[in-house]
Structures are given as structure tokens and as C-alpha cells.
Amino acid sequence: MTVELFAGASTGLALWVVAAFVVTFVVTRVVVRMIRAGRGPFRDTSVGDVHVHHHVYGIFLMLLSGAGEFVYRPGSPWVEVLAVVFGAGAALTLDEFALWLHLDDVYWAREGRKSVDAVLVAAVIGAFLVLGARPFDDTADEGRMAFAVTVLAHLVLAGIAIFKGKIASGLIGIVVPFVAVVAAVRLARPGSPWARARYDAARLARAETRFRRNRWDGVKDLLAGAPTEGRT
């Protein structure tokens, strides 16, 4: 396991990806909120009667950047260009994560908050990769068995966190094990498989009180705007 601050060419490329990801997400949210408010020159894109969502552009950008990297293996500066294109495409795609999860246009509904969750998780993981976190690096100083046990422990803790309904913490915990440890030992979300299988009425009530409002809700309201009422 290694954590070296801004070490290596791969970390430099990760910085380009993350920077493009964050900038594209912020610009996209500004544009779509202007469209929603009917301000500015921006309008929804349609082909005939079909509304073309921006994750379509994101998918194509990721496909093009991936193909360019695998086929041509370019050096600088084109590899940085591909990193920027991939980061932008990932932001456009994850910004509509809830749509392709639910197979429904829930962008402004409460379910659409899952898109913000996905973006925040990706941004945090990307930030740790930029800082040099490499959770599955097999170093010469570690024995194979110790390395395998450590990786397994990380994955188990992350799995427990996800099973407790803390998907974001579980995914981040794969890169930063301490996050998975905290999420795994604390109270589960009331609707999670862990709570349904293991909690009695008293503990379930505690969980419902604890998770009545998530500490990220204010951040998500700021980023995504107020959800459309009438959907859960």
C-alpha cells in the first residue's frame, strides 16, 4: 500500500481527469439550472421528439478518449488532452447517473439526488488518486499473503458499509480504508439490508432518527437545486 503525494506520471494524468471532471460538472449544473429557470441562451437539445440528455455526449466522449488512448498510446500533450476529454465525459455521464439507474427522467426529482451522490463519490476518489493513494499497489516490501489479506480486509469493510446502506462511504473506503472502518462500525441506514435483517424495532427507530436528514443534503440542494415535489 502506497501513498505518495503527487508521485508519478499517472498522478499527473489523474489531476487532468479530476480537474476536467469538476469543471465540467459545475458548468453543466449552472447551464441546466439556467435552462430550468428559463434564463440565458441555453435550451434543451432535441432530435425530432427525442430529448437528447447530456449523458449521451458524455458516453461518446469517454468512448472516443478510451479508443484514442488504447489505439494510439499518445505522448504529451495529447495524452493530457485525452485525460481532459475523459474527465469531461465522465462528468456529463455521472451527472445523469439517476436517469440511467432508474431508466426514467428523474433529473429534477428527489431520485435525481443519486446523480449528485455519484459525482461526489467520484470526485473524492479522484482527489485521493491525485494525492497518490494506490490502495491495490503490490509493493516489493510486502509479502504476497500480507498484501492479499490487507486487500481482502479493505473489501470486506467496504462491503459491510455498502450493506449498511452507506454506498458512498463504502466506495470511498476502497481507496481510503479508514472511511470504510468508520462506516462499517456505525449505525446502518434504516432501509438497508443490514438494518432489515439485524435491527429490532428500538434500534430501527434510532436509525430512522439518525438518518432523517443527511449532512450532505444541504450540499446537494446547493448543487442540484430544489427537487420537484411529488416524487420520493
Side-chain angles (χ1 to χ4, degrees):
M1 304 292 173
T2 60
V3 178
E4 298 177 6
L5 190 61
F6 301 114
S10 61
T11 298
L13 290 177
L15 181 58
W16 283 103
V17 171
V18 173
F21 181 89
V22 172
V23 170
T24 303
F25 170 71
V26 171
V27 171
T28 300
R29 279 289 167 170
V30 169
V31 170
V32 296
R33 292 182 70 173
M34 290 177 68
I35 293 173
R36 188 187 192 193
R39 298 201 307 265
F42 307 106
R43 296 292 183 271
D44 288 333
T45 303
S46 298
V47 177
D49 295 331
V50 178
H51 175 203
V52 181
H53 290 278
H54 52 264
H55 73 261
V56 174
Y57 305 113
I59 291 170
F60 279 111
L61 288 176
M62 288 193 295
L63 288 172
L64 289 172
S65 60
E69 169 62 22
F70 290 132
V71 173
Y72 296 105
R73 300 284 183 178
S76 185
W78 293 108
V79 67
E80 286 83 5
V81 171
L82 291 178
V84 168
V85 172
F86 180 85
L92 291 171
T93 303
L94 285 181
D95 185 55
E96 294 197 311
F97 170 78
L99 277 72
W100 41 274
L101 178 66
H102 290 278
L103 296 179
D104 192 11
D105 191 352
V106 295
Y107 191 83
W108 295 116
R110 194 163 297 279
E111 295 94 333
R113 289 297 191 273
K114 294 183 178 70
S115 297
V116 181
D117 291 336
V119 168
L120 289 174
V121 170
V124 171
I125 292 175
F128 279 109
L129 293 176
V130 169
L131 292 174
R134 299 291 184 269
F136 302 124
D137 275 1
D138 186 4
T139 64
D141 296 333
E142 298 174 349
R144 296 286 182 179
M145 183 59 69
F147 173 75
V149 170
T150 303
V151 170
L152 180 61
H154 287 181
L155 294 177
V156 168
L157 289 169
I160 291 174
I162 292 171
F163 197 57
K164 284 189 167 185
K166 304 171 184 180
I167 298 174
S169 297
L171 294 175
I172 294 171
I174 295 175
V175 178
V176 188
F178 175 74
V179 175
V181 172
V182 173
V185 300
R186 297 190 69 188
L187 205 61
R189 290 184 178 276
S192 66
W194 184 283
R196 291 198 301 268
R198 299 175 59 89
Y199 284 3
D200 56 19
R203 201 160 192 194
L204 193 59
R206 281 182 56 205
E208 289 172 350
T209 301
R210 164 69 177 81
F211 290 101
R212 186 164 291 135
R213 179 167 174 83
N214 190 286
R215 64 173 61 99
W216 285 105
D217 284 350
V219 176
K220 288 185 279 189
D221 289 345
L222 177 65
L223 291 173
T228 302
E229 297 299 328
R231 299 194 68 130
T232 57

